[in-house]
Amino acid sequence: MVAFAGMAIRDAKKQQTRQALMEAAIDQVAGGRSFASLSLREVTRDAGVVPASFYRHFRDMDALGLALVDETCQQLRRLIRAARSTSVPGDTMLAASVGTFLLFVQTHRAAFQFLTRERHGGSRPVREAIAREVRGFVVDLAVDFARYPHFGKLPREDLEMMASLLVNTVVSALGELLELAADHPDVQGAQARKLTDQLRVIVLGGLAWRPGTRLPAGAGAMPAG
Amino acid sequence: MVAFAGMAIRDAKKQQTRQALMEAAIDQVAGGRSFASLSLREVTRDAGVVPASFYRHFRDMDALGLALVDETCQQLRRLIRAARSTSVPGDTMLAASVGTFLLFVQTHRAAFQFLTRERHGGSRPVREAIAREVRGFVVDLAVDFARYPHFGKLPREDLEMMASLLVNTVVSALGELLELAADHPDVQGAQARKLTDQLRVIVLGGLAWRPGTRLPAGAGAMPAG
């Protein structure tokens, strides 16, 4: 009984140290450092543990980076799935998904700063892990698309093209949101409305899309950016 | 006359050193280093000049970063404007703009790796300069939009919302392209087609857009990412 309680305490403590190491890395990156430039020694110092204890939690710094990506994205993915499954398709679902996303970002700001910075950062394993997670969101969304009448008739690659357009738009908005100070509710509101409108434009475009569509000459046509 | 020739040679040499300093920084960042972590000493060493001579070209490292952002983006902006002004609006113009952009990226790969990495990187002045350039592309495009019948009737903020959607989509595609090795023409071709289709979806959505549009319930509706 005493041994069992001792083990539970040890497990909780181990979990706590793991969390402290991850938070130390997140905070450094959110503060402007690149993950690739962080040393194990800095992270353990910030977490208040001796360097040698790092290896009880992670094989190396990249393994810590991967755990960070994994935990933040999996949690968001579950929340977004829940938001989608509990609301009526259409504008209500769009608003619910955007709201869920923005709230989660607000409460995990430093973790998303990490993801945004390291998406194109210097650690290849971390970059690839973030790309895989983004791809996971795209696949989830393409599967959801396929359930709706118009979209269900489109080829899979068209659904993925539109899902990736939508996910990339959310990721871009995330980058802009994180540049704002946390205490700008007005600007945040305006950005949330802009994002929602952009997603509406994409859905409207998707509803008008047929495989092999070309733009009409003249009329509403325009260039690439 | 001799003095004049001497001056011209000195100017050319000065320009050459400036270029070498910028290229040294670009190469380090393209190789995985973060710009904020680069020292003046490293950059001058790679450029083959003594540290003190740095200040004849730039006030500090951030000034070098700003010059990099400025020169790459201004050149691209001129090219894109030219591509737009010389082709017929519609699918042809879209293809011409995408083609111009992809060719420019291919020939300035390391510079775009710098822009992609540092867009959310650790140097605030560089980050803000990149955001200003992106905003410049958005404004250019919104002005172009306004010239076309349907879009000309929309409020300015709707045009900017759509222009920023389009520009962010190009920026996202850029990030994916740069992750590929330079010698993957097949995958690059597939990505170019995907990007072109995504821009078509946006334009189609824009043509269906009216201020205050909401998505229909049920039918083609879907969630946020």
Side-chain angles (χ1 to χ4, degrees):
Chain A
M1 202 49 195
V2 173
F4 183 77
M7 265 172 69
I9 289 167
R10 266 198 308 281
D11 278 357
K13 198 149 173 60
K14 187 173 175 188
Q15 192 53 39
Q16 222 174 15
T17 305
R18 186 173 187 274
Q19 208 57 41
L21 290 167
M22 286 167 67
E23 273 163 26
I26 285 181
D27 289 346
Q28 284 284 355
V29 173
R33 287 285 301 279
S34 76
F35 181 70
S37 77
L38 288 185
S39 70
L40 187 154
R41 193 165 288 273
E42 287 173 286
V43 168
T44 49
R45 185 199 60 208
D46 289 359
V49 298
V50 295
S53 78
F54 181 91
Y55 298 103
R56 284 204 286 277
H57 305 279
F58 303 104
R59 202 183 55 245
D60 52 25
M61 281 294 288
D62 277 336
L64 181 153
L66 297 184
L68 274 175
V69 174
D70 189 60
E71 293 186 14
T72 311
C73 293
Q74 290 309 315
Q75 206 182 336
L76 176 60
R77 209 162 158 186
R78 277 194 300 275
L79 282 171
I80 294 281
R81 277 180 181 161
R84 277 187 205 151
S85 65
T86 54
S87 50
V88 184
D91 227 79
T92 319
M93 185 187 275
L94 189 84
S97 300
V98 171
T100 301
F101 175 73
L102 295 179
L103 190 63
F104 188 71
V105 169
Q106 228 174 342
T107 50
H108 297 74
R109 217 177 136 82
F112 279 95
Q113 255 154 349
F114 176 92
L115 291 175
T116 303
R117 296 238 150 112
E118 297 306 325
R119 190 180 179 206
H120 301 295
S123 159
R124 173 178 282 272
V126 170
R127 231 159 58 216
E128 288 176 346
I130 296 173
R132 273 196 303 277
E133 295 293 341
V134 171
R135 173 111 198 108
F137 282 102
V138 170
V139 170
D140 277 6
L141 185 56
V143 168
D144 273 4
F145 271 158
R147 291 206 210 106
Y148 299 108
H150 166 70
F151 293 103
K153 285 176 233 132
L154 295 177
R156 189 193 157 88
E157 62 172 8
D158 283 9
L159 294 180
E160 293 207 356
M161 173 273 287
M162 286 189 273
S164 100
L165 170 57
L166 207 142
V167 169
N168 284 337
T169 299
V170 174
V171 171
S172 294
L174 173 62
E176 287 172 28
L177 273 170
L178 293 175
E179 281 297 318
L180 294 174
D183 54 352
H184 273 56
D186 293 0
V187 191
Q188 281 170 347
Q191 287 202 335
R193 280 191 300 278
K194 188 174 101 176
L195 171 60
T196 310
D197 280 347
Q198 289 177 330
L199 301 181
R200 286 180 180 129
V201 167
I202 296 171
V203 176
L204 289 174
L207 289 171
W209 178 262
R210 304 288 176 277
T213 300
R214 294 291 171 272
L215 298 179
M222 98 294 281
Chain B
M1 201 53 195
V2 171
F4 183 77
M7 265 173 69
I9 290 167
R10 267 199 307 280
D11 279 358
K13 199 151 172 63
K14 187 173 176 190
Q15 194 51 40
Q16 220 174 14
T17 306
R18 186 174 188 273
Q19 208 56 41
L21 291 167
M22 286 166 67
E23 272 163 27
I26 285 182
D27 289 346
Q28 284 284 353
V29 173
R33 287 285 300 278
S34 77
F35 181 70
S37 77
L38 287 186
S39 70
L40 188 155
R41 192 165 288 273
E42 288 173 287
V43 168
T44 49
R45 186 199 58 207
D46 290 359
V49 297
V50 295
S53 77
F54 181 92
Y55 299 102
R56 284 204 287 276
H57 305 278
F58 303 105
R59 203 182 55 245
D60 53 22
M61 281 294 288
D62 276 337
L64 182 153
L66 297 184
L68 274 175
V69 174
D70 189 59
E71 293 187 14
T72 311
C73 293
Q74 291 308 315
Q75 206 182 336
L76 175 61
R77 210 162 156 186
R78 278 194 301 274
L79 282 172
I80 294 280
R81 277 180 181 160
R84 276 186 206 153
S85 65
T86 54
S87 50
V88 184
D91 228 80
T92 319
M93 184 186 277
L94 189 84
S97 301
V98 171
T100 301
F101 174 73
L102 295 180
L103 190 63
F104 188 71
V105 169
Q106 229 174 340
T107 50
H108 298 74
R109 216 178 137 83
F112 279 95
Q113 255 155 349
F114 176 92
L115 291 175
T116 304
R117 295 239 152 110
E118 297 305 325
R119 189 180 179 206
H120 301 294
S123 160
R124 172 179 284 271
V126 171
R127 230 158 58 216
E128 287 176 348
I130 297 173
R132 273 196 304 276
E133 295 293 342
V134 170
R135 174 112 198 106
F137 282 103
V138 170
V139 170
D140 276 5
L141 185 55
V143 168
D144 272 3
F145 272 157
R147 291 206 211 107
Y148 299 108
H150 166 72
F151 293 103
K153 285 177 233 132
L154 295 177
R156 189 193 157 88
E157 62 170 11
D158 283 8
L159 294 181
E160 294 206 356
M161 174 272 288
M162 286 189 274
S164 100
L165 171 56
L166 207 142
V167 169
N168 283 337
T169 300
V170 174
V171 171
S172 294
L174 173 62
E176 287 172 28
L177 273 170
L178 293 175
E179 281 296 319
L180 293 175
D183 53 352
H184 273 56
D186 293 359
V187 190
Q188 280 171 348
Q191 287 201 334
R193 281 192 298 278
K194 188 174 101 174
L195 171 60
T196 310
D197 280 348
Q198 289 177 331
L199 300 181
R200 287 180 179 128
V201 167
I202 296 171
V203 176
L204 289 173
L207 290 171
W209 178 262
R210 304 287 176 280
T213 300
R214 294 290 172 271
L215 298 179
M222 97 294 282

